[in-house]
Amino acid sequence: MKNLRRLNCLISRILLPVRRSEPRYCSSVTNSVTATNNFKTRLSSGPRFQDFTGEVTGDSDKHCYLSAELEMGNSRKVYFETYGCQMNVNDTEIAWSILQRKGYQRTANVNEADVILLVTCSIREKAEQTIWNRLQQIKAMKKKRLKSPIKIGILGCMAERLKTELLEREKLVDILAGPDAYRDLPRLLTVADGDHQACNVLLSLEETYADIMPVHRASYGHSAFVSIMRGCDNMCSYCIVPFTRGRERSRPISSILEEIRMLSDQGVKEVTLLGQNVNSYRDTSEEQFCDSGLTKLSRGFKTVYRTKQGGMRFSDLLDSVSCIDPNMRIRFMSPHPKDFPDEVLHLIAERSNICKHIHLPAQSGSSQILTRMRRGYTRETYLDLVDTVKKIIPDVSLSSDFISGFCGETEDDHQQTLSLIKEVGYNVGFLFAYSMRKKTHAYHRLQDDVPVEVKQRRLQECIIVFREEALRVNSALINSTQLVLVEGESKRSAKDLCGRTDGNLKVIFPKEDVALPAESTSAPINAGDYILVKILSSSSQSLRGRAISHSSLRGTVK
Ligand code: 5AD
Ligand code: SF4
């Protein structure tokens, strides 16, 4: 692995930077003697071979041919803009942590920024279009700032997917850093200072940023995200993620536990474990692709890769994490239905601080489409899993993702999706129209043959059924008492507070003092408090209620 890392490092340095103003070909042949002499002088004063290899191993933050001083931020102000999923939110904090160590400052005001970094998403065409539009606005801003030029960087999935195409199309972009290249940001920015475009989009088999503690931001209040694994090996036929985020790898358990202990000490009350395939977490790295079709898992689920053996699994991690602080809620996002062995479900059922909310992305209700999506399960296996989940965790709340209009989807397939949504009864859903992505299996092998207006109509029908079902499921909670973790004031009215149930449903209730546990006195409610709230009404998206008393997440953590 060390050698591989060295090689990656060597390649990135040899390939980069690309000088903008200079042609990339050799100049003239007529002056060849002078040119040779110049070249010799430059060679003797330039970096040695060892500079590219030897000293890099100990500390991957060190770049031997750029001195440490050159990489310092010197209080320059960085402005981040984050798009896409929660992983990107967490990656922003990782990138910031790396730059902060080098003396950069962070600003929330784009107008005073010296460096603007967009953390991007490629999952659908629309997500990328948003970034292109934003780049046009930033371009105008950059043109006006002549005295202290702004440096612009594209980070994350779009940098990885489009690579140098982005630099060539958008001449004003100075740096590109793929999801595994954030450690290289100080160097890339230093190169950009010399009027070079710089890019590192190498994917890694091992980068988990395990040693980089993301900076927990006060704006997230009492909730924090902790990345536990990166990448995805599933290769669902519609999905760009395995190409932009690379192979699956898990962060060592010890560094995860250390980060969560630190967050608990800081008063964080809710931690969401993050990963593209969070529940296939395994603290080992021995896995290979299986060429001979799908590998069978329990409950009839299958996968295209050979499953990993040994090591600490997701259930072991969840067990240890839930023991750190009995008053801290634990959630996880985003899991795959194939990795829910009974022990994970039983653990969720028995630990009072592991939330009884499970995201089970179905994507479609038709077995024919699921096969084409290469999801590794059928409608029946998915519904069997839902039954098992509901049996083991009776008060579970479920959410899901669905894609409308995937390649070859017929009206009958669509009806099956609507019927699955009704049959399961989710509280929350994330519904999307299919967007064909280059590089994916579907792009190479299938036809994007559902017309745009049909995709949109089917999507709308899914949304309507989802809302009806969510309303039904949520109204069953009326008159129940829910333990709510308070997030703060409601956005709509300063007289109301807003928080979330264990099932991750939003609850709005009037701000008023309520009784402290086992005491007759009342106390005001603050963000981060656990409050018992009686539910009085519901909609498809939230609940309304009245606070009864202060409380805590007590219970038996065995
Ligand atoms: N088109 C539309 N939706 C997609 N998703 C992933 N790839 C695509 C695509 N090409 C959806 C899936 C996934 C969620 C994160 O985004 O539903 O679960
Ligand atoms: Fe995409 Fe499937 Fe990986 Fe999710 S699990 S990111 S849908 S390939």
Side-chain angles (χ1 to χ4, degrees):
M1 264 335 145
K2 259 183 195 167
N3 286 341
L4 190 72
R5 199 193 290 155
R6 263 190 218 168
L7 185 65
N8 278 350
C9 192
L10 181 61
I11 293 170
S12 86
R13 283 153 202 206
I14 287 172
L15 292 178
L16 301 168
V18 181
R19 179 142 192 128
R20 241 189 227 144
S21 45
E22 282 177 2
R24 275 185 234 166
Y25 45 82
C26 285
S27 41
S28 114
V29 198
T30 48
N31 234 344
S32 63
V33 178
T34 332
T36 313
N37 285 342
N38 278 346
F39 184 62
K40 274 186 184 160
T41 322
R42 281 171 66 189
L43 257 188
S44 60
S45 61
R48 299 156 304 146
F49 181 67
Q50 292 87 323
D51 290 331
F52 289 114
T53 54
E55 295 157 56
V56 178
T57 50
D59 176 356
S60 48
D61 282 0
K62 272 191 189 145
H63 302 293
C64 318
Y65 72 99
L66 284 182
S67 68
E69 296 86 83
L70 266 178
E71 285 190 8
M72 295 310 285
N74 298 323
S75 302
R76 277 193 299 164
K77 294 193 173 114
V78 190
Y79 172 82
F80 284 95
E81 218 166 81
T82 310
Y83 297 83
C85 62
Q86 280 308 334
M87 279 301 275
N88 269 6
V89 176
N90 198 63
D91 279 9
T92 305
E93 299 317 313
I94 288 172
W96 166 231
S97 184
I98 290 165
L99 290 176
Q100 191 182 34
R101 281 187 198 176
K102 294 284 182 181
Y104 283 86
Q105 285 186 2
R106 188 161 181 177
T107 175
N109 180 357
V110 69
N111 295 315
E112 62 174 36
D114 302 302
V115 178
I116 299 179
L117 298 177
L118 305 185
V119 187
T120 61
C121 168
S122 279
I123 198 118
R124 284 167 289 275
E125 176 77 43
K126 211 169 139 193
E128 287 195 355
Q129 197 48 53
T130 311
I131 306 290
W132 287 119
N133 297 344
R134 183 67 179 129
L135 271 176
Q136 292 316 309
Q137 293 169 350
I138 293 175
K139 211 178 197 173
M141 202 185 296
K142 187 171 176 172
K143 275 187 185 153
K144 279 189 211 151
R145 279 267 299 267
L146 295 175
K147 270 194 192 157
S148 52
I150 314 174
K151 297 293 167 192
I152 297 173
I154 301 287
L155 274 48
C157 291
M158 214 169 144
E160 195 62 54
R161 195 180 88 76
L162 297 172
K163 301 190 169 69
T164 44
E165 189 189 323
L166 241 167
L167 295 182
E168 276 149 27
R169 257 178 79 179
E170 261 328 314
K171 294 278 187 280
L172 287 173
V173 171
D174 300 284
I175 69 157
L176 285 189
D180 289 344
Y182 300 142
R183 283 180 202 274
D184 207 14
L185 278 172
R187 184 183 71 88
L188 296 173
L189 282 168
T190 306
V191 172
D193 278 342
D195 197 27
H196 294 92
Q197 285 183 305
C199 145
N200 185 345
V201 287
L202 288 169
L203 286 173
S204 158
L205 293 175
E206 54 182 18
E207 180 62 274
T208 58
Y209 300 109
D211 56 318
I212 303 205
M213 294 294 159
V215 186
H216 176 63
R217 305 246 288 145
S219 56
Y220 303 144
H222 293 82
S223 297
F225 296 95
V226 173
S227 159
I228 66 160
M229 56 84 67
R230 299 176 73 85
C232 178
D233 287 348
N234 282 338
M235 295 286 175
C236 302
S237 62
Y238 51 82
C239 191
I240 190 70
V241 169
F243 303 93
T244 56
R245 289 203 167 248
R247 301 292 303 277
E248 217 172 278
R249 64 223 102 118
S250 294
R251 176 176 168 187
I253 200 163
S254 52
S255 92
I256 299 172
L257 299 180
E258 188 193 330
E259 185 176 341
I260 296 175
R261 272 188 216 111
M262 194 185 77
L263 291 168
S264 162
D265 291 345
Q266 289 173 5
V268 166
K269 292 287 178 52
E270 180 183 69
V271 156
T272 304
L273 307 176
L274 288 181
Q276 260 88 33
N277 258 299
V278 74
N279 55 339
S280 57
Y281 175 87
R282 207 177 264 261
D283 187 3
T284 175
S285 50
E286 294 304 309
E287 111 271 31
Q288 291 166 349
F289 261 92
C290 173
D291 298 329
S292 54
L294 298 167
T295 304
K296 286 187 180 163
L297 300 170
S298 61
R299 295 209 179 97
F301 285 84
K302 293 170 188 161
T303 151
V304 288
Y305 64 91
R306 208 171 280 157
T307 52
K308 293 168 204 157
Q309 303 296 320
M312 301 288 261
R313 296 152 312 153
F314 185 63
S315 55
D316 302 314
L317 175 73
L318 210 50
D319 182 3
S320 304
V321 166
S322 65
C323 291
I324 290 178
D325 179 351
N327 215 30
M328 178 191 258
R329 274 184 173 170
I330 312 298
R331 301 185 184 278
F332 54 91
M333 190 60 86
S334 173
H336 190 290
K338 73 178 165 50
D339 287 312
F340 275 110
D342 282 359
E343 58 264 34
V344 170
L345 300 176
H346 284 297
L347 199 65
I348 298 172
E350 79 189 35
R351 296 285 157 93
S352 54
N353 61 340
I354 305 181
C355 292
K356 274 105 202 109
H357 161 231
I358 299 187
H359 186 66
L360 277 185
Q363 313 298 358
S364 171
S366 150
S367 295
Q368 183 183 292
I369 295 298
L370 289 168
T371 305
R372 235 176 262 166
M373 287 178 162
R374 301 174 118 201
R375 287 291 290 173
Y377 54 84
T378 58
R379 176 189 174 93
E380 291 69 34
T381 25
Y382 181 88
L383 286 172
D384 280 351
L385 172 64
V386 170
D387 274 353
T388 310
V389 170
K390 286 181 175 174
K391 261 185 215 129
I392 298 179
I393 315 166
D395 48 356
V396 71
S397 75
L398 296 172
S399 58
S400 193
D401 294 347
F402 284 90
I403 298 177
S404 287
F406 185 61
C407 308
E409 187 189 74
T410 62
E411 231 21 74
D412 179 56
D413 294 322
H414 169 59
Q415 289 303 324
Q416 289 189 50
T417 296
L418 296 179
S419 91
L420 186 107
I421 297 172
K422 285 185 192 154
E423 198 167 333
V424 176
Y426 303 97
N427 296 75
V428 178
F430 303 91
L431 312 175
F432 312 98
Y434 175 58
S435 164
M436 172 82 91
R437 310 310 284 140
K438 277 188 190 159
K439 281 198 182 172
T440 57
H441 176 86
Y443 176 81
H444 290 296
R445 304 278 165 79
L446 304 173
Q447 289 274 321
D448 185 12
D449 53 2
V450 179
V452 180
E453 46 306 343
V454 176
K455 280 182 189 169
Q456 284 304 326
R457 194 251 305 148
R458 289 182 188 165
L459 175 64
Q460 287 312 315
E461 287 174 10
C462 286
I463 292 172
I464 290 168
V465 173
F466 231 105
R467 289 216 176 118
E468 286 167 6
E469 288 309 304
L471 183 62
R472 185 178 61 77
V473 175
N474 294 350
S475 59
L477 296 175
I478 295 173
N479 290 326
S480 72
T481 300
Q482 299 287 323
L483 185 65
V484 171
L485 176 60
V486 179
E487 289 174 354
E489 258 176 25
S490 155
K491 279 184 196 139
R492 294 226 176 120
S493 160
K495 288 182 186 158
D496 288 336
L497 290 167
C498 171
R500 286 193 180 260
T501 65
D502 181 289
N504 210 24
L505 273 170
K506 193 195 273 184
V507 186
I508 312 285
F509 55 98
K511 194 192 282 180
E512 52 197 356
D513 293 3
V514 284
L516 289 161
E519 284 183 39
S520 53
T521 49
S522 296
I525 302 174
N526 295 308
D529 288 347
Y530 284 108
I531 301 290
L532 285 172
V533 177
K534 171 123 186 196
I535 304 304
L536 302 173
S537 65
S538 70
S539 73
S540 63
Q541 286 169 16
S542 62
L543 306 170
R544 275 195 161 270
R546 176 141 236 144
I548 301 173
S549 67
H550 285 268
S551 188
S552 73
L553 227 193
R554 247 176 276 121
T556 42
V557 178
K558 291 163 201 164

